[in-house]
Amino acid sequence: MTISIQNQFAFAVCQAHGAQLVSFQNSSGKEYLWQRDPAYWEECSPILFPYVGPVPKTVIIHGKHYAIPLHGFVKDTAFDIAAQGEDFVTLTTKATQETLAIYPYYFAFTATFRLTGPSLQVIYNVTNQGTDAMPFLIGGHPGFFCPMEDGEAFTDYVLHFEDENVADVSLNYPLFDNDAILFEHLRQRTVKLIHKQTKKGIRVDFPDYPSVAFWTPIKKDAPFLCVEPWCAGTLDQVPNTNLLEKKYAQSLAPLESRDYKFSITPCQ
């Protein structure tokens, strides 16, 4: 099942399976979100929870080993509609006997997609419904067309940060030969993926995430780039799957709830 939302400036579609965003368009119908192609990547914007990154063997939580898959399991979970309006939808899921077997915590997870002017706000909310402190990692994984116009190339684009001491990153595929690249310690948690000359593209604001990763498949020359806000470990921590030792690991007390927000805005 898919759900559409719109206002006078934009249009978006998400699906109930995994609460995955599958389309984000401006009022002219221009699509910004990568449209799934198995030749490169079969996803558009999966949710990363309760783990972020690959799992060489198992994830360790308080000394016990759990078979949490790559980037967690919420991306493969069925969601229900909790609330809906013309310009927003909130989807929800919670722990089941299947999830408790690989992540021993009672949780509730909601994903809200809301159009505000030309921007799409994405709000993930995590609630600890158990009686013990609940550790987790969380992140977004939206992919965007790059290049965004016919006749352009991947190398025509840059990553532009608002921090004055962070230089623009000119895109080229060898940057990603060792997988994702990660930025942290940004004062202004904003990045633009824009054409060098026209300055057109998209802006991602991620106020609730301490780091942001960028990824495109290794050695595939894929026509997209993912901009991934993370509360997760750094790339050098990939071999260490002890969740409690991960940098930026989150924790909620019993019955505590927390929002994690990012937004996507066209640059025109």
Side-chain angles (χ1 to χ4, degrees):
M1 179 177 66
T2 60
I3 305 103
S4 301
I5 58 174
Q6 63 182 343
N7 64 13
Q8 67 183 97
F9 303 102
F11 173 82
V13 180
C14 64
Q15 62 182 26
H17 181 78
Q20 182 167 198
L21 180 69
V22 295
S23 178
F24 176 54
Q25 302 175 21
N26 65 15
S27 59
S28 299
K30 178 174 178 54
E31 180 66 69
Y32 291 94
L33 200 71
W34 167 247
Q35 298 299 288
R36 294 169 283 193
D37 181 346
Y40 298 107
W41 186 45
E42 295 181 336
E43 305 292 346
C44 292
S45 182
I47 297 172
L48 314 185
F49 177 87
Y51 197 80
V52 176
V55 181
K57 293 183 179 178
T58 54
V59 173
I60 301 168
I61 307 174
H62 293 299
K64 295 184 178 181
H65 293 254
Y66 296 93
I68 299 177
L70 166 73
H71 290 327
F73 52 76
V74 160
K75 59 183 171 35
D76 300 311
T77 299
F79 280 70
D80 297 315
I81 297 175
Q84 186 176 7
E86 184 177 3
D87 60 359
F88 82 96
V89 64
T90 297
L91 304 174
T92 185
T93 192
K94 62 182 180 180
T96 65
Q97 291 304 309
E98 289 76 17
T99 67
L100 289 167
I102 59 174
Y103 179 66
Y105 297 97
Y106 289 90
F107 69 89
F109 191 104
T110 66
T112 297
F113 302 98
R114 184 183 300 274
L115 293 169
T116 303
S119 300
L120 175 65
Q121 295 182 331
V122 181
I123 306 168
Y124 300 150
N125 176 274
V126 185
T127 300
N128 180 358
Q129 296 187 319
T131 58
D132 299 313
M134 185 178 79
F136 60 92
L137 307 177
I138 188 169
H141 201 312
F144 302 98
F145 280 115
C146 186
M148 297 185 188
E149 302 287 352
D150 292 341
E152 296 177 346
F154 188 83
T155 51
D156 292 333
Y157 283 74
V158 298
L159 296 171
H160 173 76
F161 300 90
E162 296 300 308
D163 286 24
E164 293 181 358
N165 64 330
V166 180
D168 287 355
V169 176
S170 294
L171 294 185
N172 62 77
Y173 288 115
L175 274 174
F176 305 94
D177 280 354
N178 295 313
D179 215 344
I181 59 175
L182 183 76
F183 285 74
E184 51 183 337
H185 310 305
L186 296 170
R187 289 185 296 105
Q188 305 292 328
R189 294 182 181 179
T190 297
V191 63
K192 293 179 180 177
L193 170 62
I194 53 175
H195 189 275
K196 293 176 183 177
Q197 302 300 324
T198 68
K199 308 303 180 186
K200 292 182 178 181
I202 56 95
R203 186 182 82 225
V204 179
D205 298 283
F206 47 99
D208 297 325
Y209 297 87
S211 64
V212 58
F214 304 96
W215 175 81
T216 192
I218 296 172
K219 297 185 185 303
K220 286 191 175 182
D221 293 0
F224 72 90
L225 183 75
C226 290
V227 180
E228 307 177 41
W230 282 2
C231 294
T234 48
L235 297 176
D236 62 311
Q237 287 189 303
V238 168
N240 179 5
T241 60
N242 187 324
L243 195 157
L244 277 68
E245 294 179 357
K246 288 288 190 176
K247 193 173 185 179
Y248 307 125
Q250 304 291 289
S251 182
L252 292 178
L255 304 182
E256 186 180 3
S257 182
R258 189 176 302 154
D259 284 343
Y260 296 86
K261 300 180 291 294
F262 67 91
S263 64
I264 306 164
T265 306
C267 301
Q268 299 183 31

